[in-house]
Amino acid sequence: MTRSKMAFLFYVIIGLALVGLATQLITSPGSFIKGIFITIGFGVAIFAFIYFVLLRKRAPSNDMKKYKKAVQQSKAKYKDRGNSTKVTPKKQPNLIKKKRTKRTSNHLRVIEGNKTKGKDRATF
């Protein structure tokens, strides 16, 4: 029951606000537009203060520094792989296939954990 009362009160307040805006727009549109611009100006000023003073001067976290360093290293490593514009002539396929060796990536590493062996489902 309280929810319907709150909804009714909310709709009454919104309706009164709309009537007030319409009345002000009809009686004095100049002051209405001036009020809108002043409100927007205060909003922009508050946002600029919060953004430039409080948020911008925060130091980036240590994780972000490590991530940016890793991105720079990766770009330096792979910078000329995608930019090749040479047209390579087609090679004839070799009849004898060479055994390819498995290469490991230098930027990947395995983190050892304390995993136990798989659960024995027969013991349930």
Side-chain angles (χ1 to χ4, degrees):
M1 189 68 180
T2 60
R3 188 170 194 175
S4 64
K5 288 181 183 180
M6 292 298 289
F8 177 72
L9 182 63
F10 179 75
Y11 288 130
V12 167
I13 291 173
I14 295 295
L16 288 174
L18 289 175
V19 168
L21 282 175
T23 305
Q24 188 179 11
L25 184 60
I26 291 170
T27 58
S28 59
S31 70
F32 175 75
I33 302 248
K34 184 173 135 182
I36 293 291
F37 281 134
I38 289 173
T39 305
I40 290 172
F42 275 122
V44 168
I46 291 171
F47 174 77
F49 175 76
I50 290 172
Y51 178 75
F52 287 114
V53 174
L54 300 177
L55 297 179
R56 203 160 184 208
K57 294 195 178 186
R58 290 189 307 185
S61 67
N62 195 23
D63 292 335
M64 187 56 76
K65 287 180 184 177
K66 289 179 183 178
Y67 172 74
K68 287 182 179 180
K69 185 176 179 182
V71 167
Q72 287 177 348
Q73 288 176 350
S74 179
K75 284 182 179 179
K77 183 176 181 180
Y78 298 110
K79 70 178 177 182
D80 54 312
R81 286 191 181 188
N83 296 338
S84 65
T85 57
K86 295 180 184 178
V87 177
T88 57
K90 288 187 176 182
K91 295 181 181 179
Q92 293 181 349
N94 292 338
L95 297 177
I96 302 172
K97 293 184 180 179
K98 294 180 182 178
K99 187 176 182 181
R100 294 185 181 177
T101 58
K102 188 174 183 181
R103 297 187 324 184
T104 60
S105 300
N106 292 336
H107 64 283
L108 301 176
R109 66 182 172 139
V110 176
I111 300 173
E112 297 294 330
N114 296 328
K115 293 184 178 179
T116 59
K117 292 187 177 182
K119 295 181 181 178
D120 186 12
R121 297 206 176 253
T123 59
F124 283 87

